[in-house]
Short mmCIF file of all heavy atoms in Angstrom, two decimals:
data_model
loop_
_atom_site.label_atom_id
_atom_site.label_comp_id
_atom_site.label_asym_id
_atom_site.label_seq_id
_atom_site.Cartn_x
_atom_site.Cartn_y
_atom_site.Cartn_z
N ASP A 29 328.71 -79.64 -54.20
CA ASP A 29 328.55 -80.83 -55.03
C ASP A 29 328.07 -80.37 -56.39
O ASP A 29 327.14 -79.56 -56.49
CB ASP A 29 327.51 -81.78 -54.43
CG ASP A 29 327.93 -82.34 -53.09
OD1 ASP A 29 329.11 -82.72 -52.96
OD2 ASP A 29 327.09 -82.40 -52.18
N ILE A 30 328.69 -80.91 -57.46
CA ILE A 30 328.23 -80.63 -58.81
C ILE A 30 327.19 -81.70 -59.14
O ILE A 30 327.49 -82.89 -59.11
CB ILE A 30 329.39 -80.63 -59.81
CG1 ILE A 30 330.38 -79.53 -59.44
CG2 ILE A 30 328.87 -80.44 -61.23
CD1 ILE A 30 331.64 -79.50 -60.27
N ASN A 85 337.31 -88.02 -69.58
CA ASN A 85 335.87 -87.90 -69.36
C ASN A 85 335.17 -87.05 -70.42
O ASN A 85 333.97 -86.80 -70.30
CB ASN A 85 335.59 -87.34 -67.96
CG ASN A 85 335.91 -88.34 -66.88
OD1 ASN A 85 335.51 -89.49 -66.97
ND2 ASN A 85 336.66 -87.93 -65.88
N LYS A 112 340.66 -73.00 -62.25
CA LYS A 112 340.92 -72.38 -60.95
C LYS A 112 340.06 -71.14 -60.83
O LYS A 112 340.29 -70.13 -61.51
CB LYS A 112 342.40 -72.03 -60.83
CG LYS A 112 342.76 -71.48 -59.48
CD LYS A 112 344.25 -71.25 -59.35
CE LYS A 112 344.61 -70.79 -57.95
NZ LYS A 112 346.04 -70.56 -57.80
N ILE A 125 330.47 -61.24 -63.46
CA ILE A 125 331.72 -61.43 -64.19
C ILE A 125 332.60 -62.37 -63.37
O ILE A 125 332.86 -62.12 -62.20
CB ILE A 125 332.46 -60.09 -64.43
CG1 ILE A 125 331.56 -59.11 -65.18
CG2 ILE A 125 333.77 -60.32 -65.17
CD1 ILE A 125 331.17 -59.55 -66.58
N VAL A 126 333.01 -63.47 -63.99
CA VAL A 126 333.83 -64.46 -63.31
C VAL A 126 335.23 -64.44 -63.91
O VAL A 126 335.40 -64.20 -65.11
CB VAL A 126 333.19 -65.87 -63.39
CG1 VAL A 126 333.17 -66.42 -64.80
CG2 VAL A 126 333.89 -66.85 -62.48
N GLY A 134 349.38 -77.92 -69.60
CA GLY A 134 350.45 -77.36 -68.79
C GLY A 134 350.62 -75.86 -68.87
O GLY A 134 351.51 -75.30 -68.24
N PHE A 141 334.91 -63.38 -67.97
CA PHE A 141 333.76 -63.44 -68.87
C PHE A 141 332.46 -63.43 -68.07
O PHE A 141 332.45 -63.75 -66.88
CB PHE A 141 333.85 -64.67 -69.78
CG PHE A 141 333.98 -65.98 -69.04
CD1 PHE A 141 332.88 -66.78 -68.84
CD2 PHE A 141 335.21 -66.41 -68.56
CE1 PHE A 141 332.99 -67.98 -68.17
CE2 PHE A 141 335.34 -67.61 -67.89
CZ PHE A 141 334.21 -68.40 -67.70
#
Side-chain angles (χ1 to χ4, degrees):
D29 295 317
I30 298 175
N85 289 312
K112 184 175 184 180
I125 303 296
V126 67
F141 56 99

